Structures are given as structure tokens and as C-alpha cells.
Amino acid sequence: MATPAHIAIIMDGNGRWAKARGLPRLAGHRAGVEALRKTVRFVGDAGVPWLTVYAFSSENWARPKSEVSDLMGLLKIYIRRDLADLHQNGVRVHVIGDREGLAPDIRALLQEAETLTAGNGQLNLVIAFNYGGRDEIARAARKLAEAVRAGAIEPDAIDEAAFARCLDTAEMPDPDLVIRTSGEVRLSNFLPWQAAYSELVFLPCYWPDFSTADLDEALKIFAARERRFGGAAARDVAS
């Protein structure tokens, strides 16, 4: 069975999971953190070398201040409690997104996680935090414009590869498979450049309920897909 080298997940449905149980949204986010812990183990056991998770979008700042504060607190707890375990299990942590404007203690934690685990290679865990795809593309365009103004690159030299090197995900493979939970059927500004040829799988379960069975289902759907990247299928060429 074909296995993706890179899975990206939109972890959606924490709030609705909590609402369905008459619990505060924070309970849903806490359950979501536990689902993330399990998923990191699942993906590592499945032999997938890259996992990207959409933890906090640049649009999430529009949520109530109390919820944003709760989410920041959960990030701190996750890194402080789990970083040693991730490091021990050979997980390398990467963070993508705009760090400008983040609180100094958050920036320091993200940097600590990346620095401590920089030598690991068992699994690459990419955390999209304060991330928005359009913002990432705008920042990449700004970098290229500044390079042109400084005379470091000619405009004619700007191609897809040069642009990709200016993205947060430079030197990372594009995701082969993007999974979204909660039944929503859209990418919500998640990796719009990188997911151009990703296989998309939308699952009805809320993120806190995401299980090994759900991951297996997504992997089976992926394996059954025929990826052509804009080309023709081998059988069509043969005929």
C-alpha cells in the first residue's frame, strides 16, 4: 500500500466536540491536545516521516480573548510537558507561521523546541502556529521583492523553486495527504501553495475523537487514489 511521506492535518472540531457534551470549549481544546499526542505516535508508528498540524491560524486571533488565552496556555503546556518525550522519541519539531507579534515567552518556547530537537530524524513534526497561507505567500513575495531591490536576484530568476525557498516550508516536502476532521470540506488558508497536488481527505469525526482507525481509513483512501500531478495515467498513455 502506498504510504504518504508527509501528512498534514487540519485539527478541527474541538469546540463542537465540547458543545455536544455540554462542556466548555476549553475542554474540547484539552481533548484535542490529547488527540495530538496520540496522533504523533500513530504517524510515527506508520512510518510516515513528516507530520504537519494546523495548531493556530492567523485568523484565530479573532476569537474571544479568553479562548485565545486558553489556546496559548495549552501550547505552553504541550511544549513544556511533551518536549522531553518528543526529543527522547527522535521527533524533530519545526514551527511555521509568523512569529512577529507573539509574546516573548511563546517565541522562546517555540525556539527552544526547535533547537533541542534539531538533531532528530525519526519524525518531523511541523507545527503551524499563527499561520495563514495567504500571509505566508505575502511574506515570501516581500522577501523576493527586497532581494530584487538589493540586487541579490534578478526578476527573471524568480520561478516556482525560488519562490518556494522563501516560504516557511523551505526545504520541507509538500504534503502528500491533507486530512481535515469535523466534516468541513475546505482548506481554510492551510498550505495553499504546498497542497496544490495533495490528496484531500475529509473525515466526519471531531478532532478529539480522531483515532488509529480514522488514520488507517485516510491512508487507505490515499492508497486508492491515482496521483497524476497534471499528467496522464499510465494506462491512458498505454491505450
Side-chain angles (χ1 to χ4, degrees):
M1 185 172 79
T3 302
H6 186 175
I7 297 175
I9 303 180
I10 302 173
M11 306 181 294
D12 193 22
N14 291 347
R16 279 165 283 172
W17 180 92
K19 184 178 180 180
R21 290 160 176 77
L23 299 171
R25 289 176 66 84
L26 178 58
H29 293 313
R30 284 175 173 162
V33 170
E34 185 56 36
L36 174 60
R37 289 190 179 102
K38 293 177 182 176
T39 300
V40 170
R41 291 195 293 271
F42 295 163
V43 170
D45 291 344
V48 177
W50 286 85
L51 170 65
T52 296
V53 294
Y54 205 3
F56 187 87
S57 80
S58 51
E59 290 76 28
N60 285 157
W61 293 105
R63 295 187 177 188
K65 288 184 178 180
S66 60
E67 183 173 353
V68 170
S69 178
D70 289 340
L71 289 169
M72 294 294 165
L74 285 174
L75 173 74
K76 294 179 192 177
I77 291 171
Y78 176 71
I79 291 180
R80 286 172 177 159
R81 289 186 181 175
D82 292 67
L83 183 56
D85 188 53
L86 292 171
H87 182 45
Q88 186 176 12
N89 287 292
V91 177
R92 180 176 181 179
V93 177
H94 308 257
V95 180
I96 60 173
D98 189 359
R99 302 189 197 188
E100 294 295 324
L102 294 178
D105 60 335
I106 295 288
R107 289 204 303 270
L109 273 176
L110 299 178
Q111 186 60 54
E112 178 186 351
E114 288 183 316
T115 300
L116 178 66
T117 63
N120 296 337
Q122 188 68 27
L123 170 68
N124 290 278
L125 173 61
V126 184
I127 301 173
F129 191 82
N130 194 27
Y131 175 86
R134 290 181 175 180
D135 173 70
E136 180 191 25
I137 290 171
R139 286 188 284 108
R142 192 178 308 127
K143 288 179 188 175
L144 284 172
E146 290 171 350
V148 169
R149 183 170 60 185
I153 186 172
E154 294 294 328
D156 290 345
I158 298 175
D159 55 13
E160 289 187 16
F163 196 90
R165 286 194 292 272
C166 292
L167 294 169
D168 295 347
T169 54
E171 301 183 6
M172 299 179 188
D174 289 341
D176 302 296
L177 170 63
V178 176
I179 301 170
R180 180 168 188 159
T181 57
S182 87
E184 300 291 352
V185 186
R186 57 179 176 271
L187 291 178
S188 296
N189 208 15
F190 183 51
L191 303 175
W193 174 282
Q194 299 86 345
Y197 286 101
S198 301
E199 298 300 323
L200 310 180
V201 173
F202 301 99
L203 299 175
C205 63
Y206 294 139
W207 173 246
D209 291 329
F210 188 77
S211 66
T212 306
D214 295 309
L215 178 61
D216 286 343
E217 179 185 352
L219 291 175
K220 288 177 182 175
I221 293 172
F222 174 83
R225 300 265 179 90
E226 185 175 32
R227 307 187 75 194
R228 296 191 293 273
F229 301 95
R235 65 174 182 279
D236 295 334
V237 173
S239 63

